[in-house]
Amino acid sequence: MASPTSSGTFTMGIVDDDALALRSLREIVADRIPEGRILWTETSGQAAVEHCVSDQFKPDIVLVDMTLGGLRGVDVCRQIRMRSDEIALLAMATFLMKGYREAAVRAGVQGLIGKGDEDVIVRSIRIVAGGGVLDDDFDTVAKAHGRVVNGGGIDYLTPRETEVITLLSSGLTDAEISNALNVDRATVRKHMQAVRRKLRVDTAIQAVVAWLRTRD
């Protein structure tokens, strides 16, 4: 992974399930950030997490849409931060809803911005890629990694486990989760066993309660 502070150039990943937003961000980088090179763009949060643990596709900075479907943007950020003390994270949203900022801080990002101001996007990417944070509410990459890893004593969930517990928390049954994720029920039950173990609870209901507490 190239060092943005030493070479002046940096690599990027972008995850957003809005095709128009992805195209717009690619154009902004191409036109206004010549020192930035996009390694990949994804519409899937799980795919973005997988790229970030691959030496071949690991970028210096990832732009994450907070309103992703499936594996939510905040969970994508948390999954990446749990695994990396190097990758910078910049969260983005079309509308900066109440609660996004606190959730982004807890997930270990280095800044949160709206998508509507191109100048802010360019400036923020450069600040975060250069090792900075957008304001004092956000931690540096290394500090955020340490806080997220050590926070709460709960082992991190895999992207698939996160999807399962998120769907269960929204009221879906095992059968409905199986259909939604296109896996069999035995696989759903296996993931839930892992979730209960990592959340250190005995039942699915306790797992849901513990999981929802981590989102508050």
Side-chain angles (χ1 to χ4, degrees), residues 10 12 14 25 28-29 33 35-36 61 63 90 92 113 119-131 134:
F10 56 88
M12 303 173 58
I14 306 174
L25 289 167
I28 289 171
V29 173
I33 312 178
E35 70 274 28
I61 176 175
L63 277 57
L90 179 60
M92 307 180 72
I113 59 173
D119 289 339
V120 169
I121 292 172
V122 171
R123 182 170 64 252
S124 300
I125 289 173
R126 284 182 166 140
I127 289 171
V128 172
L134 295 194

Side-chain angles (χ1 to χ4, degrees), residues 74-127:
V74 67
D75 293 316
V76 172
C77 292
R78 184 177 290 105
Q79 294 285 345
I80 294 171
R81 181 54 62 234
M82 289 289 297
R83 293 161 168 80
S84 175
D85 61 357
E86 295 181 307
I87 299 173
L89 297 171
L90 179 60
M92 307 180 72
T94 303
F95 303 103
L96 296 179
M97 305 292 287
K98 183 179 180 180
Y100 277 179
R101 184 179 181 85
E102 183 179 350
V105 170
R106 290 200 308 268
V109 310
Q110 282 57 68
L112 171 67
I113 59 173
K115 297 180 181 179
D117 190 323
E118 187 172 312
D119 289 339
V120 169
I121 292 172
V122 171
R123 182 170 64 252
S124 300
I125 289 173
R126 284 182 166 140
I127 289 171

Side-chain angles (χ1 to χ4, degrees), residues 4-49:
T5 57
S6 61
S7 68
T9 63
F10 56 88
T11 55
M12 303 173 58
I14 306 174
V15 55
D16 195 319
D17 55 8
D18 183 334
L20 291 177
L22 279 178
R23 184 174 68 183
S24 176
L25 289 167
R26 284 195 298 263
E27 290 173 352
I28 289 171
V29 173
D31 293 343
R32 300 192 56 183
I33 312 178
E35 70 274 28
R37 178 170 66 89
I38 297 175
L39 285 183
W40 47 263
T41 61
E42 286 290 351
T43 58
S44 160
Q46 184 167 345
V49 173

Side-chain angles (χ1 to χ4, degrees), residues 178-198:
S178 172
N179 290 332
L181 300 180
N182 195 30
V183 298
D184 58 38
R185 294 189 195 183
T187 299
V188 173
R189 289 193 293 269
K190 180 179 178 181
H191 286 309
M192 273 307 303
Q193 288 175 354
V195 169
R196 292 198 303 271
R197 184 184 72 252
K198 291 180 179 181

Side-chain angles (χ1 to χ4, degrees), residues 130-179:
V133 296
L134 295 194
D135 61 55
D136 291 341
D137 284 344
F138 298 99
D139 291 329
T140 62
V141 171
K143 185 175 180 180
H145 172 72
R147 175 176 53 77
V148 172
V149 166
N150 295 315
I154 293 176
D155 297 331
Y156 69 78
L157 305 184
T158 67
R160 181 62 88 187
E161 290 163 0
T162 300
E163 287 182 318
V164 169
I165 189 61
T166 299
L167 291 173
L168 185 66
S169 300
S170 68
L172 271 64
T173 65
D174 284 359
E176 290 168 332
I177 295 171
S178 172
N179 290 332

